[in-house]
Structures are given as structure tokens and as C-alpha cells.
Amino acid sequence: MHDHLGRFAALTFASDESRPPLLRSLARYEKALQLVAINFHIHVRRRLADHRVVDGVTLTPREFECLKWAARGKSAWDTSQLLGVSKRTVTFHLENAKAKFGVRTINQAVARMAASGLTRS
């Protein structure tokens, strides 16, 4: 299945029959399946656009947001109040960001983000 940008998705079925019933059904619904493929591509592009790549590391929007607040000197508790989530949730995202950067401290993760110039975003 191809979308209008030339991207494609593939799904393969195998059968012992030369013309299995499923294949006949798929041929009937080819346009609908192409629409599903196009929607899939749109969804994937949107999700990828939401993520930030910092120094070669892909951060989720929430990891990036928590690191931005940490870069501004906010504690996990402060950030939790600003974002309306629990302190534990903020800590979870900061720990994930640290692991992705391969660093031991929040300050090291913030320094990596600051070096990329993205703390002002």
C-alpha cells in the first residue's frame, strides 16, 4: 500500500490455496486498506514530530518538558505543580531522560540539552 508521498506499508498473507477467500476480500477492499495505510503514516509522522531529538537522543514531549523545567532550576515537586502531575511522574520522566543520555544526574542531562540549544524552546 502506498500513500501519496510514496511511502508504503506491506502486509503479507500465506495460504496453500491458489486463490484463498481472504485474498479475494482484500482485493475488494483495496481502497479502504490504502486509506488505513495513509492514516497510519499520518499518525506516525505526528507522533515523531512531537518528539525532540537532543544530541542524537529522542526524548518524549514530557521528558523534554521536565528537563526544560529542571534547566530553569525547578525541582521535581515544582515541576509537578506546574504540569499538574505527581512528583513521582516527573521523577519518572527525568530518570528516563537520564538513561537515554547515559548520564547519572539531572544536571548532566540538562547540560546535554543546553549544549544542543533547545532549553530556550
Side-chain angles (χ1 to χ4, degrees):
M1 292 179 267
H2 297 270
D3 68 9
H4 67 286
L5 297 175
R7 294 180 178 96
F8 66 92
L11 181 62
T12 304
F13 297 96
S15 174
D16 291 338
E17 299 175 38
S18 61
R19 185 113 168 95
L22 178 61
L23 186 58
R24 291 191 300 272
S25 296
L26 291 175
R28 234 180 278 137
Y29 297 106
E30 178 181 3
K31 295 294 182 192
L33 291 170
Q34 286 175 344
L35 181 61
V36 168
I38 289 168
N39 283 322
F40 171 77
H41 286 296
I42 289 169
H43 175 73
V44 167
R45 282 193 296 266
R46 282 185 184 153
R47 287 201 38 103
L48 289 176
D50 288 343
H51 288 65
R52 298 282 185 125
V53 178
V54 178
D55 199 17
V57 174
T58 302
L59 298 174
T60 66
R62 199 55 116 179
E63 290 164 352
F64 184 79
E65 192 171 24
C66 290
L67 273 178
K68 269 189 3 185
W69 285 114
R72 293 176 183 164
K74 301 298 183 188
S75 68
W77 184 86
D78 294 331
T79 302
S80 73
Q81 298 305 297
L82 291 163
L83 300 180
V85 298
S86 72
K87 178 184 171 194
R88 177 67 193 115
T89 298
V90 172
T91 301
F92 171 81
H93 292 299
L94 291 171
E95 291 297 319
N96 284 343
K98 283 182 356 186
K100 287 180 179 183
F101 282 129
V103 298
R104 293 182 354 169
T105 68
I106 300 299
N107 288 339
Q108 290 171 326
V110 166
R112 292 275 303 267
M113 191 169 82
S116 73
L118 291 176
T119 54
R120 294 177 294 282
S121 302

